[in-house]
Amino acid sequence: LDGCWSIFVFSCFIYVRGFMTTFFKGYLFLVGLISIIMGLYGMFWPDFSWYPPFESIERGTSLSNFIRTISGVFVASGYILIRFIFSSSKVQLGTVLIYLVAFMLVGKFSGFLYDGFLQHDVIAFCMGVITLVSLLAIHRHRKSLLNYDL
């Protein structure tokens, strides 16, 4: 019976591993989807009364603009998580940074629309645009250096 036991355990491990991989992918998909939905609500909803911890935050403050900026990071993180689940290729670090900065800028821009222009936020937005342009330029430069004649 000891010889049969190892075959049984090995076959059960393979079955559970396949099921758990599917379970983990489903869980990560739900987390990514919730991140995208919550981030979009945070960026484009006029006030924060829909989320109880943020009920007391008033529009036009630097805190509300910060929440909208971080909401953009949530959208980018959710998108990258879902892309990671369904993609067979590796997602490069440069691409991840580009998505994070781009969605952060979308959140910052929606903060301008709902909360107005504060000096600190305008400076942060300009620095974010410079960062995004720099990341895109370096990413394109590195892609042109790749040798596809392997």
Side-chain angles (χ1 to χ4, degrees), residues 46-119:
D47 61 350
F48 299 109
S49 61
W50 57 273
Y51 190 61
F54 296 156
E55 280 180 337
S56 62
I57 296 175
E58 298 177 10
R59 288 176 58 180
T61 62
S62 60
L63 184 57
S64 65
N65 209 329
F66 178 74
I67 289 172
R68 293 186 198 284
T69 304
I70 295 301
S71 295
V73 174
F74 269 83
V75 172
S77 300
Y79 170 74
I80 291 168
L81 185 59
I82 291 173
R83 182 176 168 191
F84 173 74
I85 292 168
F86 293 112
S87 176
S88 61
S89 64
K90 296 179 182 177
V91 179
Q92 296 178 351
L93 182 60
T95 306
V96 171
L97 289 172
I98 288 169
Y99 282 123
L100 286 173
V101 173
F103 279 104
M104 182 267 316
L105 288 173
V106 171
K108 185 64 82 176
F109 183 73
S110 70
F112 290 151
L113 295 178
Y114 288 113
D115 302 322
F117 293 89
L118 301 171
Q119 181 181 4

Side-chain angles (χ1 to χ4, degrees), residues 16-30:
V16 170
R17 183 175 152 222
F19 173 74
M20 290 305 287
T21 302
T22 305
F23 174 76
F24 287 145
K25 283 184 178 181
Y27 171 75
L28 291 175
F29 177 76
L30 287 176

